[in-house]
Amino acid sequence: CSGYATKTQVTLIGTMTASGAATEVELTLTGTAVDLAGNRFVISQNFLFDTLAPTLTHFTAFRDQIVNESWIEFKFDQKPEEAELALTVTASGTFLYDLDDAEEIEGQENAYRLLTGITLPFNTEITLGATATDLAGNVGFSTKAATVSLSSSR
């Protein structure tokens, strides 16, 4: 004698709204289904709830005193998927870059080095503005200022 069971598909559609402080936390969604025979089926799924946008946490600027080459180094608190950068140099203007123009600094999470292609004025304060987007689509804007230091090539 053989039997069969009726299969039913259940789809859960929900909306989560965040309010208050931005956060990045792992949440677990757990669902329980009971069939007509009283058998319980538990399904559990973890997901990342991310409302925190990436912002700058560090910015420094250097000018090589031998070859007259300049670069900046900067770091985000979270990994950006993309970023638009605006480097403002007093009396010279604003220079625009993308995160693709920078290279990751090995061994430092979310840190980048970017050759500016311009000569940065020694001992002058400059500002980096960044509009960065993370994997979750959160967009953050932040600025940091730094004074250009003399350095030798790295």
Side-chain angles (χ1 to χ4, degrees), residues 18 40 80 83 91 121 134 154:
R40 296 174 62 86
D134 67 7
R154 292 181 173 207

Side-chain angles (χ1 to χ4, degrees), residues 62 139 151 153-154:
F62 301 97
V139 179
S151 181
S153 297
R154 292 181 173 207

Side-chain angles (χ1 to χ4, degrees), residues 34-108:
V34 180
D35 66 11
L36 294 176
N39 298 310
R40 296 174 62 86
F41 302 94
V42 177
I43 298 174
S44 186
Q45 177 68 47
N46 292 340
F47 64 95
L48 184 63
F49 183 68
D50 179 5
T51 61
L52 197 60
T55 56
L56 290 170
T57 59
H58 176 74
F59 170 53
T60 56
F62 301 97
R63 178 172 150 186
D64 187 316
Q65 52 193 335
I66 298 170
V67 295
N68 213 25
E69 184 177 81
S70 298
W71 68 93
I72 59 173
E73 295 179 356
F74 55 94
K75 182 176 180 174
F76 291 96
D77 61 346
Q78 297 183 65
K79 181 171 179 56
E81 288 299 306
E82 57 185 47
E84 296 173 0
L85 307 165
L87 182 64
T88 302
V89 181
T90 306
S92 295
T94 299
F95 302 88
L96 304 177
Y97 307 93
D98 289 325
L99 188 60
D100 293 337
D101 297 324
E103 64 181 47
E104 290 187 53
I105 299 174
E106 190 175 325
Q108 296 184 37

